[in-house]
Amino acid sequence: MGFWGQLVFARSDSPLREAPVFAHLEDDAETWEEREGGWQLLALHRAEWDEDFLPSLVEWSGAPALVAQVADSDTAFVRGLDGEGRTWETWLNPDQAAGLLIERPEDIEDDLDWLESPEFPAALARERAELDAEIPEAARAAAAWATTAGVPTPPQTAPIEQLLRAKEDFAEEHLPTLLDRLGFPE
């Protein structure tokens, strides 16, 4: 059984888990790592993520923030938000994400029948190609988000794209590497 939950990255002068947005989740929040400038990575293991949490966190902290929603360590959907309301999003382990995103046709009643159908591999290939086509823009937007966050050196998009196409055993291990490539010093 892999990790299910959210990884939240934001800036705070105090422990991030004390942010008002996490008040009802404090027993579920664990600090995974801290970086220079008050940046912290927080893991929420069992909490339900509400769409309002990210804007509330950005408003409270006065800095950009991101959340990665991790599904069984296989993949993670990452969404970043800055103080101007600009967002970016991407998938970590996109090949695994493609399998989750394909919708079963209405005329096939059972998921196993869908997975074993001759149409499934083609649908999976199309979904993978769509996710891959989104990576360059996601890398540019992530780099712009990091620049807005005040990283000391503007990030290069090529290493970010490379990471976004990588296949890791554990999606949650991708996020600290992404933060490195975005220029957040440890």
Side-chain angles (χ1 to χ4, degrees):
M1 187 72 156
F3 177 81
W4 286 90
Q6 294 79 31
L7 298 175
V8 181
F9 185 68
R11 187 176 66 200
S12 176
D13 293 330
S14 59
L16 185 57
R17 61 185 297 194
E18 295 174 1
V21 71
F22 302 122
H24 67 290
L25 306 172
E26 197 168 306
D27 292 338
D28 187 42
E30 171 190 1
T31 301
W32 271 23
E33 70 176 38
E34 297 180 8
R35 293 181 177 242
E36 285 184 21
W39 292 96
Q40 300 171 45
L41 184 60
L42 186 73
L44 303 174
H45 295 277
R46 295 172 300 278
E48 291 292 323
W49 185 259
D50 186 300
E51 289 295 318
D52 294 333
F53 287 176
L54 192 56
S56 296
L57 185 57
V58 168
E59 183 179 339
W60 174 81
S61 70
L66 68 76
V67 62
Q69 296 178 313
V70 183
D72 198 22
S73 292
D74 291 332
T75 188
F77 179 69
V78 181
R79 184 167 190 249
L81 176 68
D82 70 15
E84 301 298 317
R86 292 180 297 253
T87 63
W88 64 275
E89 54 190 44
T90 193
W91 287 91
L92 302 180
N93 283 352
D95 284 352
Q96 293 289 336
L100 294 175
L101 296 172
I102 297 173
E103 292 189 31
R104 177 176 38 87
E106 291 181 20
D107 62 333
I108 299 177
E109 293 183 23
D110 184 77
D111 286 337
L112 189 56
D113 290 341
W114 169 231
L115 293 173
E116 294 175 350
S117 73
E119 294 85 11
F120 181 78
L124 183 61
R126 281 191 304 275
E127 189 65 40
R128 284 179 174 157
E130 287 177 24
L131 290 176
D132 189 70
E134 295 170 0
I135 288 175
E137 177 55 33
R140 282 189 293 279
W145 173 88
T147 301
T148 301
V151 295
T153 304
Q156 300 296 309
T157 57
I160 298 168
E161 284 186 44
Q162 180 184 22
L163 176 72
L164 296 180
R165 287 189 171 98
K167 298 173 178 121
E168 278 292 326
D169 289 335
F170 302 103
E172 64 272 19
E173 293 176 3
H174 266 288
L175 193 60
T177 306
L178 177 60
L179 297 174
D180 292 343
R181 292 194 184 176
L182 288 173
F184 291 93
E186 288 192 46

